[in-house]
Amino acid sequence: MKRSEVDRSKLSPMMQQYMDIKDKYDDCIIFFRLGDFYEMFFDDAILASRVLELTLTGKQAGLDERVPMCGVPHHAYVSYVDTLIEKGYKVAICEQLEDPKETKGMVKRDVIQIITKGTRIDSNIDSKDNNFIASLFDFDYCFGLSYADISTGEVYASLFDKNEDKVMKEITRNNFHEVIVNDSMDREIVEKLRSNYHVLVTITKNEYEGGDYDYIYKDIEDIRLIQSLKHLLQYILDNKKGDMHHLQTCRIIKSSSYLEFDVNTRKNLELVETIRSGDRQYSLLWLLDKCKTAMGSRYLKSNILNPLTDKEELERRFDIVSLLSTEFILRDDLIHSLDHVYDLERLVGRVSYGNLNAKDLIQLKNSLHELPEINRILKELKYDKEIETFEEVYSLLDKSIREDAPFTLHEGGLIKDGYNKELDELKAISSGSKDFILQMEQEEKKRTGIKNLKVGFNKVFGYYIEVSKGQIPLVKEEFGYERKQTLANAERFITPILKEKENIILGAEEKIISLEYKLFMDIREVVKRYVLELQKCAKILSEIDMLQAFSVSSDQYKFVRPNFVEDHSLKLYDCRHPVIEVVMKDKYIPNDIVMDHTTNILLITGPNMAGKSTYMRQCAITIIMAQIGCFVPCRKASLPIFDKIFTRIGATDDLVSGESTFMVEMKEANYALQEATENSLILFDELGRGTATYDGMSLAQAILEYIHDKIKAKTLFSTHYHELTVLEKDLKHLKNVHVSAIEENGQVTFLHKIKAGSVDKSYGIHVASLAKLPNSLIERANDILNVYEKKNVKKETFTQTSLFEYNEEDFAPKKNEIEEKLKNINPLEMTPMEALSYLYDLVKEVQQKK
């Protein structure tokens, strides 16, 4: 039976209530609280029973037939919600808002929160990763992107050009699982996000109009960013329906502040997960994550994905890492203290929102206990940021919350003895009365002579005296026993005295639970006043945790401090791939990567499996490590600060879009050629191999010439087109290097050493032999190779780039000053007033020249 088919006039009052709530939250699975269960009905029940593997039953609802129903216990609902969320569904938690014992008629119910992939705030989300929800706002001429991690309170915003490829790159780069868009968004983009990238997308036009949260964007001048943030904020408030004041002031993301790279580069370099398995293990993040707190691990991952371009800040980090390595005893003390600090950011989020338990406050207390010692260490290190120690909060939690408090808040056992006088009195009454019950059992046995008599309790009948069937004849009228319940092998009785004590005990216990809950909420409100200061403290702890991890890694793996230079030269001596060096059993062979200010391109030739791709990857990884403030895997390193990294490594089809390896290859190459600047790094591994030999070789040469003449970016270009090595004669900023190998008696040995110059042999058949292909096949391949070599079909590579000889300076295009000024600004990073002022100055300059 479907909900749409129901005659609502026949429904029971409870089901009418359900239908009214479901109408408001039609796109959600409703967890409808009935007593000790969350029930689902109609289509929700059919869907949930299938996804969660629950038994589908039915419920009488006033109709001729039972309506579909399934349910989960309220105390164990979280795991079921997790499953539904991971499958991409939204879940609305509909709670009883009144105590059924004190309510006449229908209990009031309503949705208290909606849980989605991006709005989770519970303790079950990945502690080492951010969980962002984003708003993508279409302004017709550009996109506004704002995003927040509700669990930590971080909020960010940026603007970028209206370009579908850029949208997809931003979504995948930040790993957004949930995105909301305004109603003017192109539906093709929406469908692509849903189908190709498995992103939960919601279309909504609602924007925040209140004043309680305007602190988030009050310092932002650009109205487009404010509108995007309001769009995101309203969705968050609609879903969470609670206090969200832990959301922090928004940080504006400017692309110029970070080393940019796309999701393909992130995957190719295996920065946070491996290509093969998608696991964290054996990634750069895995290697460097010696952090002791979840906050530090998240901060490290964020930095790896968003390296800095601010030289001053990077030098500051290097200084701290160097100091920590020198003061290793203080560093060990710091590590020990950090090891006892819990996830302050997310604990504070739960304190503010209200979905915390006593264990959260115990974790907060234990974390605060370490702050005085951490503060002492930071002062000794002359660290440039100071943390608060929150002695008042620690003292409050230490004297109030029990260490063995239960997870739930409505069972009692939360508050320590001595914290509240009224509570202590109630506990004394309850405890004394329980002692009376034990004493009464002994006295009744003695008074009646019934040896197996016992005094017990259950929730239905309260306290009782139980006598076995065989002893019933011993029960006399003068005992004053009143029969309460008959069992198969016993009878249960009550007495006026027992009933009186029961009322005292149960009344006291009920009051204890109620008072403890009130006291707990009062304590939470006190802690809540410190949310902002605790968040600031968490940020500092995150940073120092990351920097101590850099220090430990640098000492353990023999990393060195890099030197940033202004002359556009890259000199990495004895550079290693840090992850491969740690994982491999054999001794790692380091290599120099030297590109002075006269060299922009290294054309790399050499055998398959000799290490060309590793050589290229270790260059990029070293740059990223330097630009997050970590020491680098070299004997000596000097490098410029890069603005972007582009990679094309490995051959993959884009099956979803129906694009071939070669089309994907050309698209990624075009992205690099369009976006790269002279301050960028480009890694092209065997570009052009996806098509016919001469097509691929021609394209590879043309791309090399374009990079050399137009872009001038530092480029590592590996190839099997040995004919391209003659380009060194004509392209003065290109140098040949090769990976060396030794061939003896038909056997090849890879030396994994990069040397100057080129080679003209690929050793492909030798690699096939190492892969254990059949001997007969290898022999046949050698015969065919000999035939081709005798034909000597190699052709001269076309190196002439013009019909006439000329100096570059003679034909260099004359620069238009106005055009150059326009190239150097980003209108998306300017306020409307700044843009108008800049335009006015340009017009004035043009008029003066006329």
Side-chain angles (χ1 to χ4, degrees):
M1 180 188 297
K2 293 184 179 179
R3 189 166 57 96
S4 57
E5 301 169 347
V6 170
D7 180 355
R8 297 198 177 195
S9 64
K10 296 181 179 179
L11 287 173
S12 63
M14 187 279 293
M15 193 54 69
Q16 291 259 15
Q17 184 186 49
Y18 168 82
M19 296 290 263
D20 291 341
I21 292 170
K22 178 65 179 174
D23 288 344
K24 297 179 196 173
Y25 302 96
D26 193 45
D27 62 339
C28 302
I29 296 174
I30 306 286
F31 271 41
F32 192 78
R33 181 72 179 270
L34 284 178
D36 290 336
F37 281 81
Y38 285 114
E39 304 287 6
M40 288 153 276
F41 302 103
F42 297 105
D43 299 342
D44 286 359
I46 295 168
L47 173 64
S49 65
R50 186 179 72 248
V51 174
L52 302 175
E53 298 181 357
L54 301 173
T55 302
L56 185 66
T57 61
K59 182 176 180 65
Q60 289 297 142
L63 304 173
D64 295 336
E65 60 179 297
R66 291 155 66 89
V67 303
M69 180 183 83
C70 67
V72 299
H74 83 94
H75 61 273
Y77 79 98
V78 174
S79 61
Y80 296 102
V81 171
D82 286 347
T83 302
L84 291 170
I85 296 305
E86 287 305 312
K87 299 279 186 184
Y89 300 105
K90 297 181 178 182
V91 177
I93 306 298
C94 180
E95 196 57 78
Q96 295 175 172
L97 303 181
E98 299 172 322
D99 187 343
K101 296 175 186 174
E102 300 176 2
T103 306
K104 293 181 179 179
M106 178 67 62
V107 175
K108 187 179 179 183
R109 295 179 177 87
D110 205 351
V111 170
I112 60 166
Q113 67 166 317
I114 299 169
I115 307 173
T116 64
K117 278 188 176 182
T119 60
R120 297 183 63 179
I121 202 168
D122 54 79
S123 57
N124 284 14
I125 49 181
D126 187 352
S127 64
K128 295 195 172 185
D129 202 0
N130 280 106
N131 187 45
F132 288 121
I133 178 172
S135 162
L136 185 66
F137 204 97
D138 187 345
F139 288 108
D140 294 330
Y141 56 91
C142 73
F143 286 118
L145 179 69
S146 57
Y147 53 101
D149 183 339
I150 298 174
S151 65
T152 64
E154 298 163 87
V155 182
Y156 304 93
S158 63
L159 292 169
F160 55 94
D161 297 330
K162 189 165 184 179
N163 179 299
E164 184 179 326
D165 286 340
K166 281 197 173 183
V167 170
M168 300 309 163
K169 288 182 189 300
E170 282 296 313
I171 299 297
T172 52
R173 188 178 72 84
N174 290 290
N175 199 29
F176 297 142
H177 295 300
E178 182 174 6
V179 175
I180 63 169
V181 299
N182 59 325
D183 53 359
S184 61
M185 181 64 65
D186 185 341
R187 292 304 187 266
E188 285 188 17
I189 292 178
V190 172
E191 284 310 308
K192 195 168 185 180
L193 286 171
R194 285 172 174 166
S195 304
N196 295 9
Y197 298 96
H198 307 293
V199 175
L200 176 63
V201 182
T202 302
I203 301 171
T204 173
K205 61 182 179 181
N206 299 331
E207 296 177 26
Y208 178 68
E209 296 298 338
D212 288 347
Y213 296 94
D214 57 359
Y215 69 90
I216 293 172
Y217 49 78
K218 70 175 182 180
D219 295 327
I220 298 174
E221 295 182 2
D222 196 312
I223 57 173
R224 297 166 297 182
L225 290 173
I226 293 173
Q227 191 170 2
S228 176
L229 284 163
K230 285 183 173 182
H231 185 237
L232 175 64
L233 188 54
Q234 189 58 48
Y235 182 80
I236 291 172
L237 295 174
D238 284 344
N239 277 266
K240 300 319 292 177
K241 301 181 183 295
D243 189 345
M244 303 300 295
H245 277 91
H246 67 288
L247 292 176
Q248 300 167 28
T249 302
C250 177
R251 280 185 57 199
I252 306 301
I253 301 297
K254 293 187 177 180
S255 58
S256 59
S257 301
Y258 301 96
L259 169 61
E260 294 183 70
F261 47 79
D262 64 7
V263 67
N264 294 313
T265 298
R266 186 181 80 190
K267 287 180 179 177
N268 288 332
L269 298 179
E270 299 186 307
L271 296 179
V272 296
E273 61 186 24
T274 58
I275 296 172
R276 182 180 294 241
S277 64
D279 291 336
R280 194 172 183 269
Q281 189 173 18
Y282 304 132
S283 67
L284 178 63
L285 175 62
W286 165 79
L287 183 80
L288 296 180
D289 192 1
K290 306 289 190 292
C291 297
K292 293 300 175 181
T293 68
M295 302 176 291
S297 294
R298 284 197 302 272
Y299 191 63
L300 170 60
K301 182 176 181 180
S302 175
N303 272 266
I304 289 175
L305 295 179
N306 301 279
L308 305 178
T309 57
D310 183 343
K311 182 181 176 183
E312 187 178 338
E313 172 59 20
L314 291 172
E315 294 290 359
R316 171 187 163 272
R317 289 185 180 184
F318 291 149
D319 289 341
I320 296 167
V321 172
S322 181
L323 181 62
L324 285 167
S325 293
T326 304
E327 300 286 350
F328 55 88
I329 295 176
L330 281 175
R331 184 185 69 188
D332 289 347
D333 292 342
L334 176 65
I335 289 169
H336 181 267
S337 290
L338 287 171
D339 204 19
H340 294 86
V341 174
Y342 290 86
D343 195 341
L344 275 182
E345 285 182 319
R346 286 184 169 161
L347 285 173
V348 167
R350 293 201 286 277
V351 166
S352 178
Y353 182 63
N355 65 328
L356 79 164
N357 56 39
K359 297 292 183 187
D360 292 328
L361 289 186
I362 291 298
Q363 288 183 358
L364 178 59
K365 183 193 82 172
N366 292 339
S367 301
L368 298 182
H369 180 262
E370 300 298 326
L371 295 188
E373 175 64 6
I374 293 173
N375 196 40
R376 178 192 69 78
I377 295 167
L378 295 184
K379 283 182 177 178
E380 282 200 46
L381 290 168
K382 294 183 172 57
Y383 188 63
D384 56 0
K385 296 177 184 177
E386 201 169 318
I387 61 170
E388 287 190 48
T389 51
F390 303 99
E391 284 92 347
E392 306 90 345
V393 181
Y394 174 79
S395 175
L396 171 65
L397 297 176
D398 187 46
K399 66 186 181 186
S400 61
I401 306 296
R402 288 177 54 162
E403 296 286 343
D404 60 347
F407 281 99
T408 59
L409 301 181
H410 297 283
E411 294 179 8
L414 301 173
I415 307 298
K416 284 182 175 179
D417 293 341
Y419 176 70
N420 179 271
K421 186 177 179 182
E422 182 185 352
L423 181 62
D424 290 344
E425 289 174 356
L426 288 169
K427 285 181 178 179
I429 293 170
S430 177
S431 175
S433 299
K434 286 180 180 177
D435 292 340
F436 169 81
I437 296 299
L438 294 172
Q439 184 182 346
M440 182 178 181
E441 185 175 295
Q442 297 302 318
E443 289 177 353
E444 285 298 303
K445 284 181 180 179
K446 188 175 180 181
R447 181 169 76 91
T448 62
I450 304 172
K451 301 297 182 185
N452 66 356
L453 174 151
K454 62 181 180 181
V455 178
F457 172 82
N458 70 31
K459 288 184 178 180
V460 177
F461 295 105
Y463 285 93
Y464 55 81
I465 297 170
E466 184 174 290
V467 180
S468 65
K469 287 283 188 185
Q471 301 288 308
I472 292 298
L474 299 177
V475 177
K476 298 177 181 176
E477 191 174 339
E478 62 261 28
F479 293 169
Y481 284 10
E482 180 183 334
R483 184 174 273 102
K484 185 72 175 176
Q485 185 183 15
T486 301
L487 303 178
N489 56 356
E491 293 281 347
R492 288 176 176 174
F493 304 90
I494 59 169
T495 67
I497 296 175
L498 189 61
K499 197 67 183 170
E500 181 185 338
K501 286 294 179 182
E502 175 186 288
N503 292 335
I504 293 171
I505 294 169
L506 295 182
E509 288 184 351
E510 208 168 285
K511 287 177 182 177
I512 286 169
I513 290 171
S514 176
L515 181 56
E516 285 205 354
Y517 180 76
K518 179 184 179 301
L519 292 171
F520 182 87
M521 288 294 109
D522 291 343
I523 293 164
R524 190 204 105 187
E525 287 302 313
V526 173
V527 177
K528 202 170 162 183
R529 296 178 207 149
Y530 295 85
V531 162
L532 187 60
E533 292 80 7
L534 285 165
Q535 286 176 328
K536 289 177 182 175
C537 177
K539 285 293 180 194
I540 296 170
L541 294 178
S542 300
E543 183 189 60
I544 197 64
D545 194 15
M546 180 183 76
L547 295 178
Q548 69 78 18
F550 289 167
S551 173
V552 171
S553 298
S554 298
D555 290 351
Q556 184 176 346
Y557 306 125
K558 296 180 172 58
F559 297 160
V560 300
R561 178 171 181 160
N563 178 40
F564 289 119
V565 296
E566 303 292 337
D567 66 355
H568 201 57
S569 63
L570 173 69
K571 297 176 182 177
L572 309 176
Y573 296 102
D574 285 343
C575 182
R576 295 114 52 200
H577 191 298
V579 179
I580 294 177
E581 181 184 31
V582 169
V583 172
M584 72 182 297
K585 296 175 183 176
D586 301 326
K587 186 175 183 297
Y588 190 89
I589 307 298
N591 277 296
D592 296 345
I593 304 174
V594 178
M595 304 171 78
D596 60 23
H597 65 280
T598 65
T599 305
N600 288 332
I601 301 173
L602 291 183
L603 185 61
I604 310 165
T605 50
N608 288 307
M609 285 182 60
K612 298 191 299 296
S613 296
T614 299
Y615 180 71
M616 298 168 76
R617 284 188 174 101
Q618 72 192 40
C619 176
I621 286 173
T622 300
I623 290 166
I624 288 170
M625 287 175 67
Q627 290 189 219
I628 63 174
C630 184
F631 287 8
V632 296
C634 301
R635 175 174 54 82
K636 185 179 178 183
S638 63
L639 64 160
I641 288 181
F642 287 86
D643 62 357
K644 299 171 186 175
I645 295 178
F646 304 91
T647 64
R648 173 58 199 176
I649 302 174
T652 51
D653 290 359
D654 186 347
L655 298 176
V656 174
S657 301
E659 293 176 344
S660 67
T661 296
F662 185 64
M663 176 57 83
V664 173
E665 193 172 53
M666 289 300 101
K667 279 193 166 185
E668 290 183 13
N670 179 59
Y671 175 66
L673 298 177
Q674 294 292 330
E675 298 289 331
T677 71
E678 64 179 351
N679 296 318
S680 301
L681 176 74
I682 299 174
L683 306 180
F684 281 162
D685 188 19
E686 297 182 31
L687 196 67
R689 64 183 163 182
T691 187
T693 302
Y694 293 119
D695 278 355
M697 190 165 62
S698 303
L699 279 164
Q701 178 174 337
I703 287 170
L704 280 167
E705 290 174 354
Y706 188 89
I707 293 171
H708 182 275
D709 298 337
K710 303 282 187 185
I711 302 175
K712 301 179 174 61
K714 295 294 184 191
T715 303
L716 275 65
F717 195 110
S718 75
T719 185
H720 281 299
Y721 300 134
H722 303 291
E723 295 84 352
L724 295 176
T725 57
V726 299
L727 290 172
E728 187 179 51
K729 299 174 186 175
D730 295 278
L731 304 180
K732 64 181 181 181
H733 301 303
L734 180 147
K735 285 188 178 178
N736 287 321
V737 295
H738 69 279
V739 192
S740 55
I742 297 175
E743 186 180 359
E744 292 179 338
N745 302 322
Q747 298 295 315
V748 65
T749 303
F750 300 130
L751 300 180
H752 304 293
K753 198 69 181 173
I754 301 291
K755 296 183 177 179
S758 61
V759 294
D760 60 357
K761 196 168 184 180
S762 289
Y763 300 99
I765 294 175
H766 295 86
V767 174
S769 177
L770 291 173
K772 307 295 185 187
L773 266 66
N775 288 332
S776 59
L777 186 153
I778 299 297
E779 290 170 8
R780 176 60 180 153
N782 273 313
D783 292 341
I784 295 169
L785 178 63
N786 289 331
V787 173
Y788 280 123
E789 286 177 340
K790 284 176 183 175
K791 285 183 179 180
N792 194 19
V793 293
K794 290 184 182 178
K795 294 188 178 181
E796 188 75 20
T797 304
F798 182 75
T799 58
Q800 183 177 337
T801 56
S802 173
L803 295 174
F804 307 100
E805 291 295 325
Y806 63 90
N807 293 322
E808 286 185 20
E809 292 80 7
D810 297 336
F811 287 85
K814 293 182 178 179
K815 290 185 177 179
N816 182 312
E817 291 181 17
I818 302 298
E819 190 175 321
E820 290 301 311
K821 285 185 177 182
L822 287 171
K823 282 180 183 176
N824 292 328
I825 68 162
N826 184 348
L828 296 181
E829 293 182 359
M830 302 174 76
T831 66
M833 282 304 298
E834 287 172 342
L836 282 171
S837 176
Y838 198 86
L839 180 60
Y840 176 80
D841 291 341
L842 287 179
V843 171
K844 192 174 179 182
E845 189 175 333
V846 171
Q847 289 172 343
Q848 286 173 348
K849 287 185 178 181
K850 286 182 179 179

